Amino acid sequence: MSQYAKGRGENTVANQQQLDMLEQGVVTWNHWRKEHPDVKPDLEEASLIGAALSEANLSNAKLRGANLLGADLSSADLRGADLSSAILSEAILSGVDLFVADLSSANLFGATLSEATLIEATLIEASLREATLSGADLSSADLSGADLSQAILSNAKLRGADLRGANLRGAVRREVT
């Protein structure tokens, strides 16, 4: 039985062959991605709880509704990925590249996004409650309606970010540029 599984429900569309490839490890996965540059991985609603995906190439991946609770995605390439409605609570996303990624309605409660690149990312209605965004670059990101309560935003770059309707109650914002 696969460690990584399709999500539950009749609308699950994750590609099991791609999940199996990912289960073989990041080195194998990244090699496969290099060999198949035009393939957009379909991992929608996949259960990747606690997955070790540090430095994985998940650019342009379809991860809508995926469960990445506690996953290690540090230094992963998630440029252009669809992570809308994904569960990323307590995930490690330090140094991750989320340039133009869609994280609308994603749950990033308590996630670590230190030094992450979120330039032009869409985080509409995302929960970033108690998340660590120290040194993250959120330039031109859309955080409208996002919950950033009690988030740590030390040295975060917010130039041009849309914070309309965002909840910043209790957020630590010292040294923000």
Side-chain angles (χ1 to χ4, degrees), residues 151-173:
I152 299 170
L153 296 162
S154 307
N155 297 314
K157 295 177 183 79
L158 294 163
R159 180 173 286 132
D162 184 351
L163 292 161
R164 285 178 292 176
N167 179 0
L168 293 160
R169 197 174 10 259
V172 178
R173 298 180 296 201

Side-chain angles (χ1 to χ4, degrees), residues 28-154:
T28 302
W29 173 262
N30 285 348
H31 178 73
W32 179 79
R33 287 297 311 269
K34 198 172 196 177
E35 296 284 315
H36 302 89
D38 296 331
V39 174
K40 290 185 179 181
D42 185 355
L43 305 169
E44 186 169 349
E45 295 185 11
S47 178
L48 298 165
I49 297 169
L53 300 171
S54 181
E55 299 185 7
N57 178 355
L58 294 164
S59 60
N60 298 308
K62 190 177 188 181
L63 287 152
R64 174 187 294 264
N67 189 343
L68 291 144
L69 175 76
D72 181 359
L73 290 150
S74 54
S75 300
D77 181 356
L78 285 156
R79 289 173 296 164
D82 179 359
L83 289 147
S84 55
S85 300
I87 299 168
L88 291 149
S89 297
E90 305 296 334
I92 301 166
L93 295 145
S94 298
V96 72
D97 190 348
L98 286 156
F99 175 72
V100 301
D102 184 357
L103 292 118
S104 299
S105 300
N107 183 349
L108 292 124
F109 173 82
T112 301
L113 293 116
S114 300
E115 305 297 327
T117 300
L118 292 129
I119 299 169
E120 296 181 25
T122 303
L123 293 124
I124 298 169
E125 301 289 328
S127 174
L128 291 146
R129 215 164 33 92
E130 297 182 28
T132 301
L133 293 141
S134 301
D137 191 345
L138 293 140
S139 300
S140 300
D142 188 347
L143 291 148
S144 54
D147 183 358
L148 290 141
S149 58
Q150 299 178 15
I152 299 170
L153 296 162
S154 307

